[in-house]
Amino acid sequence: LSCDYTGLASVIEVRCTVHWLTHRDRPARALAVDPDVRARMPRVLGRDGKVVWVSDSGGVDGLVVAPAEGAEPGGGPATEVATDEGAV
């Protein structure tokens, strides 16, 4: 569990998936839910509306950065920024 700077939402891990949960009556967003990939250790990145987590997509551990609002309009795609083999 990692809260955003306002305390109104959190990024959480549930069974190797990552979700953005608001603390009020807004919808939850699934950020990483691939059954073949372990997503873990999610954290909020400062105040810019992004989150980061560790993923083993491609068979090697790496960091993934994505918008907290998910890949819906205005959110943008998740980006893998580093792996065990170095920066991507």
Side-chain angles (χ1 to χ4, degrees), residues 15 19-20 23-24 36 41 69-70 76 87-88:
R15 293 186 170 195
H19 302 270
W20 181 255
H23 300 172
R24 297 194 185 233
D36 298 324
M41 299 172 26
E69 295 298 321
V88 174

Side-chain angles (χ1 to χ4, degrees), residues 37 51-66 77-88:
V37 176
V51 296
V52 62
W53 64 86
V54 177
S55 171
D56 68 352
S57 65
V60 81
D61 285 343
L63 296 177
V64 177
V65 176
T79 305
E80 190 166 356
V81 294
T83 66
D84 284 344
E85 298 173 357
V88 174

Side-chain angles (χ1 to χ4, degrees), residues 1-11 20-24 44:
L1 172 71
S2 176
C3 292
D4 73 344
Y5 75 98
T6 66
L8 297 177
S10 298
V11 62
W20 181 255
L21 298 177
T22 61
H23 300 172
R24 297 194 185 233
V44 175

